[in-house]
């Protein structure tokens, strides 16, 4: 093999070896997770019940209902073991203050794991009832939660990023320490993935081993990155600080594992916090050391942005709250994503990627990060030291930062960065003035007013984003998401070309239009919520009061009228609520109301309806019209004809709801006065839903009011 090919092949050998090692770690973590017994239940702690609660169940525990409270577990012939909140913690480091508590936790985990390995497990609920469970020997892959795979992915990607740099720069100290820190991530992330996503328990020795691996990986990660800052971007001194620092942290891990410390914050949290704080000292030294080397200074900016931003956010989200007694165990899996930010940034810095672009946004990102850190610190200070309520503390923290910090940030931004800003006030005013319901026309008019191009045409969307074409003559606006695409030519009436600032303005325009469209949608949703509120108020207040008055009145006529009004209000409530109703539920209601009214008027009611009704759902409008037409027809008969008997017939004919109300009486003579309001209402309501109403007097002398209403038939509920 020639020397050139050998040099090319060497990085790939390193990459292949790194991939094989990562694969072995992933396989080991997966085997460790799947080798445990499987209950098929996801548990959470119910604070009100002070015990465990079933969040989801499947597999062997598929018969357990969601939300069931579990107080203890037991095996046949053994004493039940009560469940505690600590049994369900995903990260014991953040739940216990002393190692003695952690050791007690491991003993309980061992007892619970022994019970899970029994052929039969019994779960005792809050009422003392036992639920028999037959655990599976192994946990299937599909049962491993998203958090498990997320932590494995973080470890894998961090390792791949670091090895990608080290494979091509093995002689640089910065690349070696980056690789060592990634080994730490590849150690602690899979270990934490196994024990933090356990179903209920792991054997005590297994849990302890995983916990120590997690601690070892975290300490190696921290010490290696601190050492990296000693060597990168320029070496700060001749002392071999890197090996000494890593060896010291590893020795600390062994000391805490041997029981040299009483409290977990001292044994595990304090070294990481001290290491994080030491990076500020080294960063200040590097800043001074690179004052005459702009390229090294730019590389240092990459490092500071990634390491201090990522690790600082991780410390503030997970470790700082733990010092104040706040359990952040549930955040750990997602906080691991911040490590990818660290490795991506440091790798780009070592590779010197786009160093010339840092000045534009480095200051802005850091000021935003500091603002967030101050809000969190102020909130914790108010809660922990001054005893404020969490909501009040958060509001005060936001107010303090908003009033004091952001004006200072803006002052610094204007004087240090000095970049021109787009005046968006006029843009927003024009958008509000030219708002159109049609998104296509809204886009066209907004673009025309913003850029005043000589030509604007609609083009086929390519989903390639906004871009400048033809050396600045044309600007293609392609927002995607179903929005129209346009090509603009010769902006400012042909007096200038499009620039990168115009691209930023188009992005801003797109966001504003999307917010305007979202506003219209939210207004519609708000109107619907208001209708629901009115319906609920009518149902809970007006209907209840009407029913109370109807029950208390002693006058039959008054009671009857009150119940009619009550039914009208109920129909209005249902129309406002917007829900469909089953025909099988409506027919008994119609019959009951008709019987009550006829009984109050001392009229005999004959009701005819099919014994078997089809599965049919009536829309709110159809329900309201059908109910009110029956009520109006009965009112007309009782008020004008005063019959001794009334017959109501209901039929379903080929998708049509047919009603007929018959009684003795006499129709008005032809050419008489116009139909009364009641008959006009009946005709109007029938026409409103596409039906028809007729008032007939066939042979026999009976008056028949009949109507047909189109009936949508469906087997799907709510259609």
């Amino acid at each position: 093999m020639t020397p050139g090919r050998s040099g090319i092949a060497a990085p790939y050998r390193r990459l292949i070896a790194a991939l094989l090692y990562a694969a072995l770690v992933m396989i080991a973590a997966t085997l460790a997770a799947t080798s445990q017994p499987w209950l098929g239940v996801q548990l959470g702690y119910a604070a009100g019940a002070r015990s465990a609660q079933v969040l989801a169940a499947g597999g062997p525990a598929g018969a357990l209902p969601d939300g069931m409270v579990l107080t203890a577990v037991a095996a046949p012939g053994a004493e039940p073991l009560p469940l505690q909140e600590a049994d369900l913690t995903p990260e014991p480091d953040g739940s216990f203050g002393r190692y003695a508590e952690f050791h007690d936790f491991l003993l309980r985990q061992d007892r619970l794991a022994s019970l899970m390995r029994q052929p039969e497990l019994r779960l005792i609920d809050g009422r003392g009832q036992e639920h028999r469970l037959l655990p599976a020997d192994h946990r299937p892959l599909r049962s491993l939660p998203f958090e498990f795979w997320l932590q494995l992915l973080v470890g894998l990607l961090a390792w791949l990023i670091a090895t990608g740099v080290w494979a091509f720069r093995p002689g640089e100290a910065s690349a070696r320490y980056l690789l060592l820190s990634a080994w730490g991530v590849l150690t602690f992330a899979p270990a934490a993935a196994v024990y933090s996503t356990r179903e209920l328990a792991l054997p005590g020795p297994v849990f302890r081993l995983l916990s120590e691996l997690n601690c070892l990986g975290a300490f190696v990660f921290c010490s290696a990155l601190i050492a990296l800052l000693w060597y990168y971007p320029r070496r700060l001194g001749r002392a071999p600080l890197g090996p000494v620092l890593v060896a010291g942290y590893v020795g600390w891990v062994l000391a805490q594992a041997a029981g040299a410390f009483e409290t977990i914050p001292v044994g595990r949290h304090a070294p990481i916090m001290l290491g994080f704080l030491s990076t500020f000292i080294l960063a200040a030294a590097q800043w001074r050391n690179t004052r005459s080397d702009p390229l090294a200074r730019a590389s240092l900016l990459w490092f500071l942005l990634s390491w201090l931003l990522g690790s600082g956010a991780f410390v503030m989200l997970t470790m700082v709250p733990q010092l104040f007694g706040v359990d952040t165990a549930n955040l750990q899996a997602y906080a691991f994503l911040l490590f990818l930010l660290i490795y991506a940034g440091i790798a780009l810095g070592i590779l010197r990627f786009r160093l010339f672009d840092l000045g534009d946004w480095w200051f802005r990102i850091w000021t935003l990060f500091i603002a967030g850190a101050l809000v969190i610190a102020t909130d914790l200070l108010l809660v922990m030291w001054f005893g404020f309520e969490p909501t009040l503390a958060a509001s005060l923290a936001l107010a303090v930062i908003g009033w004091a910090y952001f004006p200072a940030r803006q002052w610094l931004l204007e004087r240090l960065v000095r970049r021109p800003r787009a005046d968006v006030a006029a843009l927003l005013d024009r958008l509000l003035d030219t708002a159109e319901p049609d998104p296509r026309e809204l886009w066209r008019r907004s673009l025309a007013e913003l850029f005043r191009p000589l030509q604007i045409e609609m083009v086929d969307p390519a989903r390639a984003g906004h871009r400048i074409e033809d050396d600045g003559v044309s600007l293609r606006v392609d927002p995607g998401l179903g929005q129209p695409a346009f090509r603009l030519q010769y902006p400012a009436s042909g007096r200038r070309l499009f620039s990168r600032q115009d691209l930023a303005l188009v992005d801003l325009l797109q966001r504003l239009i999307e917010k305007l469209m979202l506003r219209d949608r939210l207004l519609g949703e708000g109107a619907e919520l208001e209708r629901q509120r009115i319906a609920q108020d009518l149902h809970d207040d007006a209907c209840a009061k009407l029913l109370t008055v109807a029950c208390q009145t002693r006058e039959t006529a008054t009671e009857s009228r009150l119940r009619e009004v009550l039914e009208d209000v109920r129909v209005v409530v249902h129309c406002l609520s917007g829900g469909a109703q089953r025909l099988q539920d409506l027919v008994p209601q119609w019959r009951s109301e008709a019987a009550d009214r006829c009984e109050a008027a001392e009229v005999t009611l004959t009701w005819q309806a099919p014994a078997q009704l089809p599965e049919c759902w009536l829309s709110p409008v159809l329900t309201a019209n059908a109910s009110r037409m029956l009520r109006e027809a009965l009112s007309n008969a009782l008020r004008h004809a005063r019959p001794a008997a009334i017959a109501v017939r209901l039929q379903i004919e080929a998708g049509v709801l047919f009603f007929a109300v018959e009684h003795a009486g006499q129709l008005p003579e032809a050419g008489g006065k116009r139909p009364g309001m009641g008959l006009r209402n009946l005709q109007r309501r029938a026409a409103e839903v596409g039906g028809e109403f007729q008032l007939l007097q066939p042979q026999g002398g009976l008056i028949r009011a009949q109507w047909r209403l189109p009936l949508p038939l469906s087997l799907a509920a709510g259609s």
Side-chain angles (χ1 to χ4, degrees), residues 384-432:
M384 300 299 176
W385 289 1
F386 295 98
F388 281 78
E389 292 293 328
T391 303
L392 178 60
S395 301
L396 289 176
L398 289 174
V400 169
I401 301 306
W403 293 334
Y405 181 79
F406 286 111
R409 171 189 178 274
Q410 186 64 26
W411 183 84
L412 288 173
L413 184 64
E414 292 178 353
R415 284 156 180 77
L416 297 179
V417 181
R418 298 178 181 177
R419 292 290 187 267
R421 298 176 301 167
D423 186 5
V424 299
L427 166 65
L428 181 58
D429 289 339
R430 286 196 296 270
L431 276 178
L432 293 174

Short mmCIF file of all heavy atoms in Angstrom, two decimals, residues 384-432:
data_model
loop_
_atom_site.label_atom_id
_atom_site.label_comp_id
_atom_site.label_asym_id
_atom_site.label_seq_id
_atom_site.Cartn_x
_atom_site.Cartn_y
_atom_site.Cartn_z
N MET A 384 -36.90 30.05 47.18
CA MET A 384 -36.18 29.32 48.21
C MET A 384 -35.79 30.20 49.40
O MET A 384 -35.85 29.75 50.55
CB MET A 384 -34.92 28.69 47.60
CG MET A 384 -35.23 27.71 46.47
SD MET A 384 -36.25 26.34 47.05
CE MET A 384 -36.53 25.48 45.50
N TRP A 385 -35.39 31.42 49.17
CA TRP A 385 -34.87 32.25 50.25
C TRP A 385 -35.93 33.17 50.86
O TRP A 385 -35.87 33.47 52.04
CB TRP A 385 -33.69 33.08 49.76
CG TRP A 385 -32.47 32.24 49.52
CD1 TRP A 385 -32.36 30.88 49.69
CD2 TRP A 385 -31.19 32.70 49.07
NE1 TRP A 385 -31.11 30.46 49.36
CE2 TRP A 385 -30.34 31.55 48.98
CE3 TRP A 385 -30.66 33.92 48.73
CZ2 TRP A 385 -29.03 31.63 48.56
CZ3 TRP A 385 -29.35 34.00 48.32
CH2 TRP A 385 -28.54 32.88 48.25
N PHE A 386 -36.85 33.64 50.04
CA PHE A 386 -37.83 34.59 50.55
C PHE A 386 -39.22 33.99 50.70
O PHE A 386 -40.14 34.66 51.15
CB PHE A 386 -37.90 35.82 49.62
CG PHE A 386 -36.62 36.61 49.60
CD1 PHE A 386 -35.71 36.43 48.58
CD2 PHE A 386 -36.32 37.51 50.61
CE1 PHE A 386 -34.52 37.15 48.55
CE2 PHE A 386 -35.14 38.23 50.59
CZ PHE A 386 -34.23 38.06 49.57
N GLY A 387 -39.39 32.73 50.30
CA GLY A 387 -40.65 32.04 50.52
C GLY A 387 -41.80 32.51 49.66
O GLY A 387 -42.96 32.33 50.04
N PHE A 388 -41.54 33.10 48.49
CA PHE A 388 -42.61 33.54 47.62
C PHE A 388 -43.31 32.33 47.00
O PHE A 388 -42.72 31.26 46.84
CB PHE A 388 -42.06 34.43 46.49
CG PHE A 388 -41.79 35.85 46.93
CD1 PHE A 388 -40.66 36.16 47.66
CD2 PHE A 388 -42.67 36.86 46.60
CE1 PHE A 388 -40.40 37.46 48.06
CE2 PHE A 388 -42.42 38.17 46.98
CZ PHE A 388 -41.28 38.47 47.72
N GLU A 389 -44.59 32.51 46.64
CA GLU A 389 -45.29 31.49 45.89
C GLU A 389 -44.66 31.37 44.50
O GLU A 389 -44.20 32.38 43.94
CB GLU A 389 -46.78 31.83 45.75
CG GLU A 389 -47.55 31.77 47.05
CD GLU A 389 -47.63 30.34 47.57
OE1 GLU A 389 -47.66 29.42 46.73
OE2 GLU A 389 -47.66 30.15 48.80
N PRO A 390 -44.62 30.15 43.91
CA PRO A 390 -43.95 29.98 42.61
C PRO A 390 -44.47 30.90 41.52
O PRO A 390 -43.71 31.47 40.75
CB PRO A 390 -44.20 28.50 42.28
CG PRO A 390 -44.38 27.85 43.61
CD PRO A 390 -45.06 28.87 44.48
N THR A 391 -45.80 31.07 41.45
CA THR A 391 -46.37 31.92 40.39
C THR A 391 -45.95 33.37 40.57
O THR A 391 -45.55 34.04 39.61
CB THR A 391 -47.90 31.80 40.39
OG1 THR A 391 -48.27 30.43 40.23
CG2 THR A 391 -48.50 32.63 39.26
N LEU A 392 -46.04 33.85 41.81
CA LEU A 392 -45.64 35.23 42.08
C LEU A 392 -44.14 35.42 41.84
O LEU A 392 -43.70 36.44 41.30
CB LEU A 392 -46.00 35.59 43.52
CG LEU A 392 -45.60 36.99 43.99
CD1 LEU A 392 -46.27 38.06 43.13
CD2 LEU A 392 -45.96 37.19 45.47
N ALA A 393 -43.35 34.42 42.25
CA ALA A 393 -41.90 34.52 42.06
C ALA A 393 -41.55 34.59 40.58
O ALA A 393 -40.70 35.39 40.18
CB ALA A 393 -41.21 33.33 42.72
N ALA A 394 -42.19 33.75 39.76
CA ALA A 394 -41.92 33.78 38.33
C ALA A 394 -42.30 35.13 37.72
O ALA A 394 -41.58 35.68 36.89
CB ALA A 394 -42.67 32.65 37.64
N SER A 395 -43.43 35.69 38.15
CA SER A 395 -43.86 36.99 37.62
C SER A 395 -42.88 38.09 38.02
O SER A 395 -42.51 38.94 37.20
CB SER A 395 -45.26 37.32 38.14
OG SER A 395 -46.19 36.32 37.75
N LEU A 396 -42.45 38.09 39.27
CA LEU A 396 -41.50 39.10 39.71
C LEU A 396 -40.16 38.96 39.00
O LEU A 396 -39.52 39.96 38.65
CB LEU A 396 -41.31 39.01 41.23
CG LEU A 396 -42.49 39.45 42.09
CD1 LEU A 396 -42.19 39.22 43.55
CD2 LEU A 396 -42.83 40.92 41.84
N ALA A 397 -39.72 37.70 38.81
CA ALA A 397 -38.44 37.48 38.12
C ALA A 397 -38.50 38.03 36.70
O ALA A 397 -37.57 38.70 36.24
CB ALA A 397 -38.10 36.00 38.12
N LEU A 398 -39.59 37.75 36.01
CA LEU A 398 -39.74 38.27 34.65
C LEU A 398 -39.79 39.79 34.64
O LEU A 398 -39.23 40.44 33.75
CB LEU A 398 -41.00 37.69 34.01
CG LEU A 398 -40.95 36.20 33.65
CD1 LEU A 398 -42.31 35.73 33.17
CD2 LEU A 398 -39.91 35.94 32.57
N ALA A 399 -40.47 40.37 35.64
CA ALA A 399 -40.57 41.82 35.70
C ALA A 399 -39.20 42.46 35.95
O ALA A 399 -38.83 43.44 35.30
CB ALA A 399 -41.56 42.22 36.79
N VAL A 400 -38.46 41.88 36.89
CA VAL A 400 -37.14 42.45 37.21
C VAL A 400 -36.22 42.39 36.00
O VAL A 400 -35.56 43.38 35.65
CB VAL A 400 -36.52 41.69 38.41
CG1 VAL A 400 -35.06 42.08 38.59
CG2 VAL A 400 -37.31 42.00 39.68
N ILE A 401 -36.18 41.23 35.34
CA ILE A 401 -35.30 41.10 34.17
C ILE A 401 -35.79 41.99 33.04
O ILE A 401 -35.01 42.62 32.33
CB ILE A 401 -35.23 39.63 33.73
CG1 ILE A 401 -34.71 38.76 34.88
CG2 ILE A 401 -34.33 39.48 32.51
CD1 ILE A 401 -33.38 39.22 35.46
N GLY A 402 -37.11 42.03 32.88
CA GLY A 402 -37.66 42.85 31.79
C GLY A 402 -37.37 44.33 31.98
O GLY A 402 -37.08 45.04 31.02
N TRP A 403 -37.46 44.80 33.23
CA TRP A 403 -37.26 46.23 33.49
C TRP A 403 -35.79 46.63 33.55
O TRP A 403 -35.44 47.74 33.18
CB TRP A 403 -37.94 46.61 34.81
CG TRP A 403 -39.43 46.52 34.75
CD1 TRP A 403 -40.22 46.62 33.65
CD2 TRP A 403 -40.32 46.28 35.85
NE1 TRP A 403 -41.54 46.46 33.97
CE2 TRP A 403 -41.64 46.25 35.33
CE3 TRP A 403 -40.14 46.09 37.22
CZ2 TRP A 403 -42.75 46.04 36.13
CZ3 TRP A 403 -41.25 45.90 38.02
CH2 TRP A 403 -42.54 45.87 37.49
N ALA A 404 -34.95 45.76 34.03
CA ALA A 404 -33.56 46.14 34.27
C ALA A 404 -32.60 45.60 33.22
O ALA A 404 -31.75 46.33 32.70
CB ALA A 404 -33.13 45.66 35.67
N TYR A 405 -32.73 44.31 32.88
CA TYR A 405 -31.70 43.69 32.06
C TYR A 405 -31.86 44.01 30.58
O TYR A 405 -30.89 44.36 29.90
CB TYR A 405 -31.71 42.18 32.27
CG TYR A 405 -30.64 41.48 31.46
CD1 TYR A 405 -29.31 41.46 31.88
CD2 TYR A 405 -30.96 40.86 30.26
CE1 TYR A 405 -28.33 40.83 31.13
CE2 TYR A 405 -29.99 40.23 29.51
CZ TYR A 405 -28.68 40.22 29.95
OH TYR A 405 -27.71 39.60 29.21
N PHE A 406 -33.06 43.87 30.06
CA PHE A 406 -33.23 44.00 28.62
C PHE A 406 -32.94 45.41 28.11
O PHE A 406 -32.38 45.56 27.02
CB PHE A 406 -34.63 43.55 28.21
CG PHE A 406 -34.79 42.06 28.25
CD1 PHE A 406 -35.60 41.46 29.19
CD2 PHE A 406 -34.11 41.26 27.35
CE1 PHE A 406 -35.74 40.08 29.23
CE2 PHE A 406 -34.24 39.88 27.38
CZ PHE A 406 -35.06 39.29 28.33
N PRO A 407 -33.29 46.47 28.84
CA PRO A 407 -32.83 47.79 28.37
C PRO A 407 -31.31 47.89 28.31
O PRO A 407 -30.76 48.47 27.37
CB PRO A 407 -33.43 48.75 29.41
CG PRO A 407 -34.62 48.03 29.93
CD PRO A 407 -34.24 46.60 29.96
N ALA A 408 -30.62 47.30 29.31
CA ALA A 408 -29.15 47.32 29.28
C ALA A 408 -28.63 46.52 28.10
O ALA A 408 -27.66 46.91 27.44
CB ALA A 408 -28.60 46.76 30.60
N ARG A 409 -29.26 45.38 27.83
CA ARG A 409 -28.83 44.57 26.68
C ARG A 409 -29.01 45.34 25.38
O ARG A 409 -28.14 45.31 24.50
CB ARG A 409 -29.65 43.27 26.64
CG ARG A 409 -29.44 42.45 25.38
CD ARG A 409 -30.44 41.32 25.32
NE ARG A 409 -30.29 40.55 24.10
CZ ARG A 409 -30.87 40.85 22.95
NH1 ARG A 409 -31.64 41.92 22.86
NH2 ARG A 409 -30.67 40.10 21.87
N GLN A 410 -30.13 46.02 25.24
CA GLN A 410 -30.37 46.77 24.02
C GLN A 410 -29.35 47.89 23.86
O GLN A 410 -28.87 48.17 22.76
CB GLN A 410 -31.79 47.34 24.03
CG GLN A 410 -32.20 48.01 22.73
CD GLN A 410 -32.25 47.03 21.58
OE1 GLN A 410 -32.45 45.83 21.78
NE2 GLN A 410 -32.07 47.53 20.36
N TRP A 411 -29.01 48.52 24.98
CA TRP A 411 -28.02 49.59 24.93
C TRP A 411 -26.67 49.05 24.46
O TRP A 411 -25.99 49.65 23.62
CB TRP A 411 -27.90 50.21 26.32
CG TRP A 411 -26.95 51.38 26.39
CD1 TRP A 411 -27.21 52.68 26.07
CD2 TRP A 411 -25.58 51.31 26.79
NE1 TRP A 411 -26.09 53.44 26.26
CE2 TRP A 411 -25.07 52.64 26.69
CE3 TRP A 411 -24.74 50.30 27.21
CZ2 TRP A 411 -23.76 52.94 27.01
CZ3 TRP A 411 -23.42 50.61 27.54
CH2 TRP A 411 -22.94 51.91 27.44
N LEU A 412 -26.26 47.88 25.01
CA LEU A 412 -25.01 47.28 24.58
C LEU A 412 -25.07 46.83 23.13
O LEU A 412 -24.09 46.95 22.38
CB LEU A 412 -24.68 46.08 25.48
CG LEU A 412 -24.24 46.41 26.92
CD1 LEU A 412 -24.12 45.13 27.72
CD2 LEU A 412 -22.92 47.17 26.91
N LEU A 413 -26.20 46.28 22.74
CA LEU A 413 -26.33 45.78 21.38
C LEU A 413 -26.16 46.90 20.36
O LEU A 413 -25.48 46.75 19.34
CB LEU A 413 -27.69 45.11 21.20
CG LEU A 413 -27.96 44.44 19.86
CD1 LEU A 413 -27.00 43.28 19.63
CD2 LEU A 413 -29.40 43.95 19.79
N GLU A 414 -26.75 48.04 20.64
CA GLU A 414 -26.66 49.15 19.70
C GLU A 414 -25.25 49.72 19.62
O GLU A 414 -24.84 50.22 18.57
CB GLU A 414 -27.64 50.24 20.10
CG GLU A 414 -29.11 49.84 19.93
CD GLU A 414 -30.04 50.92 20.39
OE1 GLU A 414 -29.56 51.93 20.95
OE2 GLU A 414 -31.26 50.79 20.18
N ARG A 415 -24.49 49.63 20.70
CA ARG A 415 -23.17 50.23 20.72
C ARG A 415 -22.04 49.27 20.38
O ARG A 415 -20.99 49.70 19.92
CB ARG A 415 -22.92 50.86 22.10
CG ARG A 415 -23.68 52.17 22.25
CD ARG A 415 -23.94 52.54 23.69
NE ARG A 415 -24.68 53.81 23.76
CZ ARG A 415 -25.97 53.91 23.51
NH1 ARG A 415 -26.68 52.85 23.17
NH2 ARG A 415 -26.56 55.09 23.57
N LEU A 416 -22.25 47.98 20.62
CA LEU A 416 -21.20 47.01 20.35
C LEU A 416 -21.36 46.35 19.00
O LEU A 416 -20.39 46.08 18.30
CB LEU A 416 -21.16 45.95 21.45
CG LEU A 416 -20.83 46.46 22.86
CD1 LEU A 416 -20.85 45.30 23.85
CD2 LEU A 416 -19.48 47.17 22.88
N VAL A 417 -22.60 46.03 18.64
CA VAL A 417 -22.83 45.33 17.38
C VAL A 417 -23.00 46.32 16.23
O VAL A 417 -22.42 46.18 15.16
CB VAL A 417 -24.05 44.40 17.51
CG1 VAL A 417 -24.29 43.65 16.21
CG2 VAL A 417 -23.82 43.41 18.64
N ARG A 418 -23.85 47.35 16.46
CA ARG A 418 -24.03 48.42 15.47
C ARG A 418 -24.40 47.87 14.11
O ARG A 418 -23.75 48.13 13.10
CB ARG A 418 -22.75 49.27 15.37
CG ARG A 418 -22.40 49.97 16.67
CD ARG A 418 -21.11 50.76 16.54
NE ARG A 418 -20.77 51.43 17.78
CZ ARG A 418 -19.67 52.14 17.97
NH1 ARG A 418 -18.81 52.27 16.97
NH2 ARG A 418 -19.43 52.70 19.13
N ARG A 419 -25.48 47.14 14.08
CA ARG A 419 -25.99 46.63 12.80
C ARG A 419 -27.29 47.36 12.48
O ARG A 419 -28.09 47.65 13.38
CB ARG A 419 -26.27 45.13 12.90
CG ARG A 419 -25.00 44.30 13.04
CD ARG A 419 -24.19 44.32 11.76
NE ARG A 419 -23.06 43.42 11.80
CZ ARG A 419 -21.84 43.75 12.18
NH1 ARG A 419 -21.59 44.98 12.57
NH2 ARG A 419 -20.87 42.87 12.19
N PRO A 420 -27.53 47.68 11.23
CA PRO A 420 -28.79 48.35 10.87
C PRO A 420 -29.97 47.42 11.13
O PRO A 420 -29.92 46.22 10.93
CB PRO A 420 -28.62 48.63 9.37
CG PRO A 420 -27.62 47.62 8.91
CD PRO A 420 -26.68 47.41 10.05
N ARG A 421 -31.08 48.00 11.60
CA ARG A 421 -32.28 47.23 11.91
C ARG A 421 -33.38 47.62 10.93
O ARG A 421 -33.55 48.79 10.59
CB ARG A 421 -32.75 47.51 13.34
CG ARG A 421 -31.75 47.11 14.42
CD ARG A 421 -32.27 47.52 15.78
NE ARG A 421 -32.49 48.97 15.83
CZ ARG A 421 -33.17 49.57 16.81
NH1 ARG A 421 -33.68 48.87 17.78
NH2 ARG A 421 -33.32 50.89 16.79
N ALA A 422 -34.16 46.63 10.53
CA ALA A 422 -35.30 46.89 9.64
C ALA A 422 -36.44 47.50 10.46
O ALA A 422 -36.72 47.08 11.57
CB ALA A 422 -35.75 45.59 8.98
N ASP A 423 -37.03 48.53 9.89
CA ASP A 423 -38.17 49.17 10.55
C ASP A 423 -39.42 48.38 10.17
O ASP A 423 -39.92 48.48 9.05
CB ASP A 423 -38.29 50.61 10.10
CG ASP A 423 -39.37 51.36 10.86
OD1 ASP A 423 -39.95 50.78 11.79
OD2 ASP A 423 -39.65 52.51 10.50
N VAL A 424 -39.92 47.58 11.11
CA VAL A 424 -41.05 46.70 10.80
C VAL A 424 -42.38 47.30 11.21
O VAL A 424 -43.43 46.70 10.97
CB VAL A 424 -40.87 45.33 11.51
CG1 VAL A 424 -39.62 44.64 11.03
CG2 VAL A 424 -40.84 45.51 13.02
N ALA A 425 -42.37 48.47 11.85
CA ALA A 425 -43.64 49.05 12.29
C ALA A 425 -44.53 49.38 11.09
O ALA A 425 -45.72 49.06 11.07
CB ALA A 425 -43.38 50.29 13.14
N ALA A 426 -43.93 50.03 10.08
CA ALA A 426 -44.71 50.37 8.90
C ALA A 426 -45.18 49.12 8.18
O ALA A 426 -46.29 49.07 7.64
CB ALA A 426 -43.89 51.25 7.96
N LEU A 427 -44.34 48.09 8.16
CA LEU A 427 -44.71 46.83 7.53
C LEU A 427 -45.95 46.25 8.21
O LEU A 427 -46.90 45.83 7.55
CB LEU A 427 -43.54 45.86 7.62
CG LEU A 427 -43.85 44.38 7.32
CD1 LEU A 427 -44.26 44.19 5.88
CD2 LEU A 427 -42.64 43.52 7.66
N LEU A 428 -45.97 46.23 9.52
CA LEU A 428 -47.10 45.66 10.24
C LEU A 428 -48.36 46.47 9.99
O LEU A 428 -49.45 45.92 9.80
CB LEU A 428 -46.78 45.62 11.73
CG LEU A 428 -47.86 45.02 12.63
CD1 LEU A 428 -48.18 43.59 12.21
CD2 LEU A 428 -47.43 45.05 14.08
N ASP A 429 -48.23 47.80 9.98
CA ASP A 429 -49.41 48.63 9.72
C ASP A 429 -49.98 48.35 8.34
O ASP A 429 -51.21 48.25 8.17
CB ASP A 429 -49.03 50.12 9.82
CG ASP A 429 -48.75 50.52 11.26
OD1 ASP A 429 -49.23 49.81 12.18
OD2 ASP A 429 -48.06 51.54 11.46
N ARG A 430 -49.14 48.22 7.34
CA ARG A 430 -49.64 47.95 5.99
C ARG A 430 -50.29 46.58 5.90
O ARG A 430 -51.30 46.41 5.21
CB ARG A 430 -48.49 48.06 4.98
CG ARG A 430 -48.05 49.49 4.71
CD ARG A 430 -47.21 49.58 3.44
NE ARG A 430 -45.96 48.84 3.56
CZ ARG A 430 -44.84 49.38 4.02
NH1 ARG A 430 -44.81 50.64 4.41
NH2 ARG A 430 -43.74 48.66 4.10
N LEU A 431 -49.70 45.62 6.58
CA LEU A 431 -50.31 44.29 6.56
C LEU A 431 -51.71 44.31 7.17
O LEU A 431 -52.64 43.69 6.66
CB LEU A 431 -49.43 43.29 7.32
CG LEU A 431 -48.28 42.67 6.55
CD1 LEU A 431 -47.49 41.75 7.45
CD2 LEU A 431 -48.79 41.91 5.34
N LEU A 432 -51.86 45.01 8.27
CA LEU A 432 -53.17 45.08 8.91
C LEU A 432 -54.17 45.82 8.03
O LEU A 432 -55.35 45.48 8.00
CB LEU A 432 -53.04 45.77 10.26
CG LEU A 432 -52.25 44.99 11.33
CD1 LEU A 432 -52.08 45.83 12.58
CD2 LEU A 432 -52.94 43.68 11.65
#
